[in-house]
Amino acid sequence: MTGGARATGGCVGGRPTRREFLRLAGFGAGALVLSGCGLLSGGRGDLPALSRPAPTGRVLEYTLEAAPTNFEIAGRELSTWGYNGGVPGPEIRVKEGDTLRVRVRNRLPAGTTVHWHGLPVPNEVDGVPHVTQSPIPPGGEFVYEFAAPAIGSYIYHSHVGLQLDRGLYGPLVVEPAREELSYDREYILMLDDWLDGLPGTPEDALGELRGSGRGMMGGMMRARGIEYPNYLINGRAPEDPASLTVRRGERVRLRLMNPSAETVFRFAPAGHRMTVTHADGQAIGPVEADVLRIGMGERYDVLLDADNPGVWQLAAVPEGKRGQARAVLRYRESAEESAPPADVQPPELQGRLLSYADLRDARERSFPDGGLFSGPDRTFELTLSGGMGRYVWQIDGQRYPEAEPLPVREGEWVRVQMRNHSMMAHPMHLHGHFFQLRNGTGCGPFKDTALVEAHMGELAFDFVADNPGEWFFHCHNAYHMETGMARVISYAGGA
Ligand SMILES: [Cu+2]
């Protein structure tokens, strides 16, 4: 390598940047680069950047009113905060390229914002308080407007403090212009952990977590997470489950989403095998599984073949905690049968668990990795730590909001490598981009949230810096985020 071939900036280990490599290697537009996943075109097509759909010209308008609301679970009346009087909030559904215009009215006694979790929207409508906008004040209004940039299953939610854990979330589905999957019915299942009674509001729970050394509850919660008194699917307790009706012979699509604040769920349908088709909204090579592990902020789409009449438990067991959430799959042919008892756990929970290593991008896109001169333009090696003693969580030893931004430049191939020095798993979420998991397959799935396992778990991903702005990167455990586990990835000043 000559001196002139060395990177001028942002490059780890002095290797040429991707652009320089391609120029040196003589690749122009239309040339081919052999990658671990097949052939990819060279030139600007060499990085798997997001291709945004053509605008349809359609504008879909929604209004979300965030307000205190009374909410019933299993016959008990509770007060919480929600959108449009319910938990979850109303379903938002658009087609790719449609313009979504959402008027948010704040009737809460606190400032709020709405974040479009997983969607690479323009930075100014990303809804992160004090990063992309000021919180909408009580009594105020804000209009979010953007063209739906990618198909898939997403979650909208408040990004202020612990408001997510009160119920300020709902589903957002972006449909393709033409659906390629064949199925007869679709259901959305939103898994949630629900505080009522002890320990009270999310702020009370955080007080317990922070009350270092005082009493058993805080200590147990710090080490193992919050034992919630209820786990819900679509806002319904196990005693009063949501019922999903099917007919024998149908194929059913489930969009599984975990907007919970603090709970990783294991989801398994009794009597049926799942074919997993999408991870965080993005198509993967279809893969069969009995059990899915879904971290906070993650989504999976699955297909079930309804070939086993009956009334079946769809169970979501909170990992490391007691209890379960459930819905019921009910065949019309079995309309008279009663549902299984709320606490029955399907034997399928002991079956084949989907792992990240099973996931491959459906289009076999990949970064042109593996060559002598080919690698990311910039690498961040980050430790995840916290939870011992004081209830403080950190990324690479720094705590938000004091933490320094992580600089990138537009067009770069960025790698993030994480190592978890703590005793809890962290679902790490990147705003504004999809990243490709480095899962050993050479063409891992494109996701926006991924679990880094406890006790020295490691995880790495790559992304293309193709959406300028100030982007939040954080743990999707609401309590970890609130106590420091966040950084800003900044396109400004990357050197
Ligand atoms: Cu965390």
Side-chain angles (χ1 to χ4, degrees), residues 60-258:
L60 286 95
E61 302 204 32
Y62 287 83
T63 299
L64 292 176
E65 183 169 283
T69 181
N70 288 328
F71 171 63
E72 194 188 298
I73 56 172
R76 282 168 302 142
E77 186 94 342
L78 306 170
S79 319
T80 190
W81 295 358
Y83 293 118
N84 298 10
V87 179
E91 176 182 311
I92 295 179
R93 188 177 286 262
V94 300
K95 284 205 183 328
E96 59 179 331
D98 286 352
T99 293
L100 179 58
R101 183 180 297 152
V102 185
R103 183 176 302 275
V104 176
R105 297 203 169 105
N106 185 6
R107 300 286 179 264
L108 301 169
T112 196
T113 61
V114 176
H115 169 59
W116 317 96
H117 176 96
L119 273 179
V121 297
N123 196 232
E124 63 271 17
V125 290
D126 195 45
V128 180
H130 312 297
V131 177
T132 67
Q133 71 172 103
S134 300
I136 310 164
E141 229 179 68
F142 190 90
V143 177
Y144 295 88
E145 181 169 330
F146 54 87
I151 66 155
S153 304
Y154 302 94
I155 300 165
Y156 65 86
H157 65 79
S158 165
H159 217 294
V160 169
L162 300 166
Q163 291 179 4
L164 169 66
D165 207 15
R166 290 181 182 252
L168 286 165
Y169 66 82
L172 196 176
V173 173
V174 182
E175 296 179 336
R178 212 185 67 230
E179 183 58 69
E180 285 170 7
L181 277 186
S182 154
Y183 54 92
D184 303 294
R185 283 173 201 270
E186 178 193 322
Y187 292 102
I188 296 172
L189 297 179
M190 302 198 91
L191 317 179
D192 196 9
D193 46 18
W194 192 260
L195 289 171
D196 74 297
L198 286 174
T201 66
E203 289 71 26
D204 295 335
L206 182 58
E208 289 284 346
L209 291 166
R210 280 180 160 150
S212 168
R214 285 192 293 109
M216 286 289 288
M217 188 182 258
M220 291 282 284
M221 283 164 60
R222 271 194 300 282
R224 298 174 46 188
I226 301 172
E227 283 282 357
Y228 284 77
N230 292 288
Y231 297 96
L232 312 180
I233 294 183
N234 294 354
R236 316 259 310 242
E239 307 85 64
D240 173 33
S243 196
L244 282 50
T245 306
V246 297
R247 285 178 198 278
R248 182 176 198 163
E250 286 182 339
R251 175 167 280 187
V252 186
R253 178 181 199 164
L254 302 181
R255 296 181 190 263
L256 303 162
M257 308 186 182
N258 182 356

Side-chain angles (χ1 to χ4, degrees), residues 426 475 477 480 485:
H426 303 287
C475 177
N477 180 316
H480 295 181
M485 202 165 214

Side-chain angles (χ1 to χ4, degrees), residues 296 393 422 424-428 475-477 480-481 485:
M296 298 80 94
W393 294 90
S422 79
M424 289 182 76
H426 303 287
M428 300 304 295
C475 177
H476 223 278
N477 180 316
H480 295 181
M481 181 187 81
M485 202 165 214

Side-chain angles (χ1 to χ4, degrees), residues 179-463:
E179 183 58 69
E180 285 170 7
L181 277 186
S182 154
Y183 54 92
D184 303 294
R185 283 173 201 270
E186 178 193 322
Y187 292 102
I188 296 172
L189 297 179
M190 302 198 91
L191 317 179
D192 196 9
D193 46 18
W194 192 260
L195 289 171
D196 74 297
L198 286 174
T201 66
E203 289 71 26
D204 295 335
L206 182 58
E208 289 284 346
L209 291 166
R210 280 180 160 150
S212 168
R214 285 192 293 109
M216 286 289 288
M217 188 182 258
M220 291 282 284
M221 283 164 60
R222 271 194 300 282
R224 298 174 46 188
I226 301 172
E227 283 282 357
Y228 284 77
N230 292 288
Y231 297 96
L232 312 180
I233 294 183
N234 294 354
R236 316 259 310 242
E239 307 85 64
D240 173 33
S243 196
L244 282 50
T245 306
V246 297
R247 285 178 198 278
R248 182 176 198 163
E250 286 182 339
R251 175 167 280 187
V252 186
R253 178 181 199 164
L254 302 181
R255 296 181 190 263
L256 303 162
M257 308 186 182
N258 182 356
S260 78
E262 225 260 349
T263 302
V264 176
F265 286 95
R266 286 185 184 226
F267 176 86
H272 299 76
R273 199 144 219 240
M274 295 178 280
T275 302
V276 187
T277 60
H278 296 73
D280 292 354
Q282 308 313 296
I284 55 168
V287 53
E288 291 203 342
D290 298 306
V291 195
L292 287 182
R293 186 160 177 256
I294 314 178
M296 298 80 94
E298 288 190 299
R299 294 90 62 206
Y300 286 102
D301 291 21
V302 306
L303 295 173
L304 294 187
D305 283 321
D307 55 5
N308 195 4
V311 184
W312 299 99
Q313 199 87 299
L314 305 176
V317 176
E319 209 171 79
K321 306 179 182 185
R322 291 185 298 270
Q324 78 172 346
R326 65 133 173 195
V328 167
L329 183 72
R330 182 182 291 276
Y331 283 68
R332 282 200 196 279
E333 294 81 355
S334 312
E336 303 305 312
E337 291 176 38
S338 56
D343 58 352
V344 167
Q345 297 200 342
E348 284 79 1
L349 281 164
Q350 313 309 321
R352 185 173 182 282
L353 175 68
L354 186 82
S355 82
Y356 285 158
D358 297 326
L359 307 179
R360 288 173 69 91
D361 178 51
R363 286 188 278 158
E364 305 234 316
R365 290 170 296 171
S366 81
F367 287 80
D369 207 356
L372 188 55
F373 298 109
S374 176
D377 299 319
R378 188 186 295 272
T379 300
F380 296 111
E381 293 179 11
L382 306 172
T383 58
L384 308 177
S385 65
M388 306 297 287
R390 283 166 71 224
Y391 192 76
V392 170
W393 294 90
Q394 298 178 316
I395 296 177
D396 219 35
Q398 296 193 33
R399 158 190 182 163
Y400 189 82
E402 293 81 29
E404 294 158 19
L406 301 171
V408 299
R409 280 193 303 190
E410 189 171 2
E412 284 183 333
W413 166 5
V414 182
R415 177 165 296 166
V416 176
Q417 296 176 330
M418 293 169 286
R419 175 184 280 237
N420 184 357
H421 290 217
S422 79
M423 288 156 61
M424 289 182 76
H426 303 287
M428 300 304 295
H429 172 51
L430 175 63
H431 287 214
H433 307 75
F434 296 110
F435 54 71
Q436 184 166 36
L437 264 193
R438 291 175 55 76
N439 66 348
T441 65
C443 60
F446 283 80
K447 292 179 100 280
D448 52 71
T449 310
L451 275 166
V452 188
E453 300 298 347
H455 304 292
M456 306 309 273
E458 293 184 13
L459 191 85
F461 62 70
D462 291 350
F463 70 95

